[in-house]
């Protein structure tokens, strides 16, 4: 586990080498490139909850992903992100 965050809906999120794991107090749900294509590559490095309650995930292989309203989407900033792990 590289990072932990709690979203306003009460879920605990864990950044792992295999993706993002969400804990609801009883069970874990793992999200990775197979069930959430926006999480491409080899894992999640860091997590950040934004003011609007969205979860931003920094990927190990460069890239940012936002989880909001039940969906993962890649964040495409203006300009290029540096290569390598994204730390928030």
């Amino acid at each position: 586990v590289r990072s932990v965050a709690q979203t306003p809906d009460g879920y605990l999120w864990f950044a792992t080498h295999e993706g993002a794991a969400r804990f609801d107090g009883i069970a874990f749900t793992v999200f990775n490139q197979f069930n959430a294509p926006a999480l491409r590559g080899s894992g999640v490095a860091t997590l950040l909850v934004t003011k609007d309650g969205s979860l931003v995930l920094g990927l190990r292989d460069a890239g940012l992903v936002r989880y909001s309203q039940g969906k993962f989407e890649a964040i495409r900033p203006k300009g290029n992100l540096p290569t390598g792990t994204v730390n928030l």
Side-chain angles (χ1 to χ4, degrees):
V1 174
R2 299 188 54 151
S3 182
V4 178
Q6 185 172 18
T7 49
D9 56 9
Y11 288 115
L12 286 175
W13 289 82
F14 300 88
T16 76
H17 292 286
E18 302 300 321
R22 182 179 70 189
F23 184 63
D24 65 5
I26 297 171
F28 283 93
T29 302
V30 176
F31 299 95
N32 55 38
Q33 63 188 348
F34 302 109
N35 61 4
L39 296 175
R40 69 197 188 304
S42 62
V44 178
T46 190
L47 304 167
L48 175 74
V49 178
T50 63
K51 288 181 183 181
D52 71 0
S54 298
L55 181 68
V56 176
L57 303 90
L59 303 181
R60 282 186 45 211
D61 292 336
L64 293 170
V65 172
R66 176 185 296 117
Y67 179 80
S68 181
Q69 299 179 354
K71 296 189 298 186
F72 290 94
E73 64 178 328
I75 298 173
R76 308 255 188 249
K78 293 181 182 177
N80 293 323
L81 285 173
T83 58
T85 302
V86 174
N87 293 303
L88 302 170

